[in-house]
Amino acid sequence: MSDQRFVLAGVMGWPVAHSRSPVIHKHWIAKHGLKGSYVQLPVQPENLEDAIRGLKALGFAGCNVTVPHKVRAMALMDELHPVARRMQAINTIVVREDGSLYGMNNDGAGYVQSLRDADPAWRGDAGPVLLLGAGGAARAIVVALLDEGAPEIRICNRTRDKAQVLADEFGPLVKVVDWAEREDAQAGVSLLVNSTTLGMHGQSPLELRLDALPVQALVSDAIYIPLETPLLAAARVRGHRTVNGLGMLLNQARPAFEAWFGVMPEITPELRAAIQATF
Ligand code: NAP
C-alpha cells in the first residue's frame, strides 16, 4: 500500500451547489493519480468561524472560500499573502503543518491570466479600464490591473459609496463613475469588465448600450454561468474580442491546487471539456 497521504480540500460558500471548483480539482486529482478529494462545504454565514476553525480537526489541507465569505474569512487567518492583504479578501485557505491558517487570493492573477490566454499580446497599460461592480471580484481585479500598469480604472457601481471605498483605498488612478454614467464612461477605454452579478444565470441582464465603446476594446465578464452572458453576446456581435469568467476560475485554481496537493496542474482542453459538459 502506498504511504501517500489522503488530501482533503473543498469550497466553502453559501450557497455552493453551483460551483464548478469540484469539477476542476477532482479532474486534477485523477489526472495526477493523487489520493484525495475536493468537496462542497455549504456553510451559512453564522457558522463561518466554527467551520474555518474546524478545518484542521477534520483533516483538511485547506479550502477555497467563495461568496459571501471572502472578506470575513480573511480576519480568521493567522497569516495573509501580501496580495490578499491588499485585496482585503481571500479565496483560498491553506492549513499548514502546525495547524495555522494561511490566506491567499488568486482571483486577480487568475483574471489577468485569462485575458493573456485569450490574447497573448494583451497589455494592462494599453488604456483606461471601465470596471462595473465594486464587490469582492472587483477588489481582486483592481489590484491585479494596477499591478499590470493600468493607467486609469473607472469604477462604476450601483452603490456609489462602495466604489468610493475602492478609490480611497487604491489611490488616484482609480476613479468613481455614477452608475447612470456607465455608457458615457466607455469612451476611450481599452477594457470593459463586468464584475457585477448582472447577467449571471437567474439574475437580470446587465442593461448596457455599447455605442461609446471603442471597437478595439476587449470586453470581459467575471461570470461563467452562462459562459456567454448577454453582455458578451452583444459585444461579440459588435466585433469586440470577449473573455468569459471560466478562464479566471481555472487560473485561480492552479496555485490553490499546488498549495494543497503539491503539484502545479495544467489547464487542458480535456479539463475545459469536462466543465463545459456540466452546463
Ligand atoms: P459581491 O461581492 O456580492 O458583489 C456583487 C456586485 O454586483 C456588487 O458590485 C453589486 O452592487 C452588484 N450588483 C448586484 N446586483 C445588482 C443590480 N441589480 N444592479 C447593479 N449592480 C448589482 O460578488 P463578487 O464576489 O464580487 O462576484 C461578482 C460576480 O463575479 C459574480 O457573478 C461571481 O460569480 C463572479 N466571480 C467570478 C469569479 C471567477 O473565477 N470567474 C470569481 C469571483 C467572482 P452593489 O454594491 O450596489 O450591491
Side-chain angles (χ1 to χ4, degrees), residues 164-233:
Q164 189 63 53
V165 167
L166 293 187
D168 293 345
E169 209 169 312
F170 295 115
L173 300 182
V174 178
K175 319 268 190 223
V176 178
V177 173
D178 280 341
W179 185 244
E181 302 299 318
R182 62 193 182 279
E183 283 157 2
D184 290 346
Q186 294 167 26
V189 305
S190 63
L191 175 64
L192 168 64
V193 192
N194 176 40
S195 77
T196 74
T197 50
L198 293 173
M200 201 171 158
H201 176 73
Q203 306 279 331
S204 318
L206 170 64
E207 306 273 341
L208 190 71
R209 290 171 59 94
L210 299 175
D211 302 341
L213 191 66
V215 281
Q216 66 277 13
L218 184 62
V219 179
S220 80
D221 205 318
I223 292 168
Y224 65 91
I225 306 172
L227 283 176
E228 188 177 67
T229 57
L231 168 66
L232 293 190

